[in-house]
Amino acid sequence: MQSRSSFSVIVVGSGIVGAATAYFLARRGAEVRLLDASAPAAEATGAADGAVSVASKRPGPMMTAAMKGVALYGQLADEGLFAGAFKRRSTFIIAASDDECAVLDAHSAALASAGVTVKTLSDAALHHSFPALSRQAKMAVEVHGEGHAIGYQIVHRLLSAAKIKVDRDTQVEGIRVEQGGNRIASIATNRGDLRGDAVVIAAGNGSAKLLGLSDVLTPRKGQLLVTERATALNALMPGAIMSGRYLLSKGSQKGAQAAASRGLGLVIDPLTTGQFLIGGTREDFGRRETNDIDAVTQILSSAVDLVPGLAGVRLLRSFSGVRTAVIDGLPLVGRIPGLENGYVATGFEGDGICLGPVTGKAIAQLICDQKTDLDISAFNPARFNSCGVAA
Ligand SMILES: Cc1cc2nc3c(=O)[nH]c(=O)nc-3n(C[C@H](O)[C@H](O)[C@H](O)COP(=O)(O)OP(=O)(O)OC[C@H]3O[C@@H](n4cnc5c(N)ncnc54)[C@H](O)[C@@H]3O)c2cc1C
């Protein structure tokens, strides 16, 4: 592909992964057509917390990928593309029980051995440097060099910089393979057939139907809350708080998907606006259009337990989104099995804001026959036999 003076790529899905893929392809001279069944950032990307973080990642390829992801955010912020949209801050993982202390100790060691800068704060030191915390907090690990970004702002930056206009309300309904061949001939949409030299499926949960992945991809709902501005309290928070329970909820030490049908992992992010973003649930059921009072109550009471000052801050809104989880806990990034010109990038569950740009760059590099900055071997879609498109 790289030897051609101009080449065309159709990218399906304008969440953060599709937008980043389109951006990095455009920078390599591709003529990009970015399609979305709805609108940019309409699904998970527009309903995410936005931690750009290694803190909660499982040791192994996800931790390594997240380190690359965080580094790329920093680089793009320094270069101007993400300037003002990427807030640098630490993450404090807080343990409030003996079980959480044990998980946190093991996790901190794993982070340190991967090269992440961490600092353990025990009781007195913790409450001195983080006065907003309640006495429930027994210890914390400060993970340095992390950040926060709002998914839809990042999508906007990427698309504006590359001057890409999304084909909205364009639903891809099927993929046609050349007869007897190993190339995508065209894709069928509700607005007619389209052709490109390459096709990238970055359609989040919509990828399941297109690529035979219904048994591999699982929708996983999350509910989040946003408070009013509380600048004095916000200033007392030197970084985001992640409860040790988040690690348990995410199964980060277990190497598998979360066990419970509804897990709550508390994350409190002090935003640059002076507000707080508080999350969130991980639910294997439910619709993104709804929040339920049980979940909202549970999130709020856990947040107030850890940061009592939040009791005097009003809740402005609640919302929810649906992550795309993969049954083995790793995303699908790479060539679609059996197809020379078909690629997939999906299944980032709760990590796609962090991993979106670095993945988009990797897919663009793959299409251009360049060595990928990110090692995507562990994310090879071919590990699932069902992944593909029938000829
Ligand atoms: C509550 C919650 C909290 C989260 N918190 C974090 C966090 O703190 N940090 C982090 O890194 N990540 C977080 N995430 C995860 C992150 O939001 C996702 O991993 C990421 O947004 C996935 O991006 P995507 O582009 O793959 O998919 P999506 O954003 O879901 O985009 C897919 C797009 O494809 C389109 N589409 C689907 N089917 C079709 C079709 N057939 N034809 C055309 N278009 C189609 C959709 O309309 C959609 O716009 C969170 C997610 C949720 C829900």
Side-chain angles (χ1 to χ4, degrees):
M1 192 81 66
Q2 67 180 354
S3 54
R4 300 174 53 161
S5 57
S6 109
F7 58 103
S8 62
V9 184
I10 296 172
V11 180
V12 182
S14 64
I16 194 165
V17 176
T21 303
Y23 169 83
F24 285 107
L25 279 166
R27 280 194 36 182
R28 283 164 175 73
E31 191 189 300
V32 182
R33 187 123 189 220
L34 181 56
L35 316 177
D36 202 288
S38 176
E43 291 291 338
T45 299
D49 176 339
V52 178
S53 169
V54 182
S56 67
K57 305 301 180 281
R58 282 200 299 276
M62 287 303 274
M63 195 177 272
T64 311
M67 289 171 74
K68 290 258 185 200
V70 174
L72 183 58
Y73 266 89
Q75 182 196 322
L76 295 176
D78 291 344
E79 288 173 7
L81 181 65
F82 291 173
F86 175 54
K87 176 188 174 182
R88 288 180 162 94
R89 50 124 181 94
S90 291
T91 303
F92 292 78
I93 316 177
I94 311 285
S97 68
D98 291 343
D99 276 358
E100 288 174 18
C101 284
V103 171
L104 189 49
D105 270 335
H107 191 65
S108 169
L111 286 165
S113 66
V116 179
T117 306
V118 289
K119 184 178 171 191
T120 300
L121 298 164
S122 54
D123 215 10
L126 174 60
H127 291 284
H128 178 73
S129 59
F130 216 132
L133 282 174
S134 77
R135 298 306 303 181
Q136 275 199 3
K138 289 185 162 202
M139 70 172 270
V141 169
E142 179 177 2
V143 184
H144 288 265
E146 308 236 298
H148 187 265
I150 306 283
Y152 57 82
Q153 283 183 355
I154 295 298
V155 167
H156 179 67
R157 291 286 177 100
L158 292 164
L159 298 184
S160 312
K163 297 190 170 54
I164 291 170
K165 199 164 164 291
V166 176
D167 287 18
R168 295 171 177 232
D169 302 319
T170 305
Q171 168 115 16
V172 174
E173 292 164 345
I175 300 172
R176 298 208 178 96
V177 176
E178 282 174 1
Q179 214 167 14
N182 53 2
R183 294 182 61 79
I184 294 175
S186 63
I187 59 169
T189 82
N190 58 334
R191 292 166 181 267
D193 288 1
L194 296 171
R195 291 171 188 278
D197 294 318
V199 175
V200 181
I201 306 296
N205 285 308
S207 312
K209 196 170 162 209
L210 296 173
L211 296 176
L213 291 169
S214 300
D215 294 339
V216 171
L217 300 180
T218 313
R220 185 157 292 152
K221 178 175 174 173
Q223 302 190 45
L224 294 173
L225 314 177
V226 182
T227 73
E228 65 178 342
R229 287 166 203 248
T231 43
L233 182 63
N234 196 295
L236 288 178
M237 303 247 311
I241 289 176
M242 180 184 290
S243 94
R245 211 184 309 161
Y246 188 87
L247 299 176
L248 297 173
S249 149
K250 233 183 160 186
S252 81
Q253 296 299 313
K254 295 183 198 138
Q257 77 253 52
S261 56
R262 174 188 275 172
L264 170 64
L266 183 68
V267 178
I268 306 173
D269 227 307
L271 302 177
T272 44
T273 54
Q275 296 168 284
F276 292 93
L277 184 53
I278 310 176
T281 57
R282 308 181 90 77
E283 308 169 47
D284 291 341
F285 54 85
R287 289 153 47 88
R288 78 168 169 81
E289 293 84 1
T290 57
N291 284 90
D292 64 87
I293 196 69
D294 285 349
V296 173
T297 307
Q298 207 185 344
I299 296 168
L300 279 180
S301 61
S302 305
V304 171
D305 282 349
L306 217 46
V307 179
L310 283 171
V313 179
R314 282 177 299 185
L315 176 64
L316 271 195
R317 71 179 183 110
S318 58
F319 61 98
S320 52
V322 183
R323 312 167 182 94
T324 307
V326 181
I327 52 171
D328 67 359
L330 298 175
L332 303 177
V333 182
R335 214 179 282 269
I336 301 168
L339 294 176
E340 269 176 16
N341 64 340
Y343 303 82
V344 57
T346 192
F348 295 91
E349 200 182 347
D351 302 320
I353 302 302
C354 177
L355 298 181
V358 78
T359 301
K361 188 173 184 188
I363 291 285
Q365 289 170 322
L366 201 60
I367 292 174
C368 296
D369 297 330
Q370 297 167 344
K371 185 174 166 5
T372 57
D373 294 355
L374 178 70
D375 178 3
I376 53 172
S377 51
F379 308 145
N380 189 346
R383 69 188 189 277
F384 294 110
N385 290 333
S386 61
C387 181
V389 179

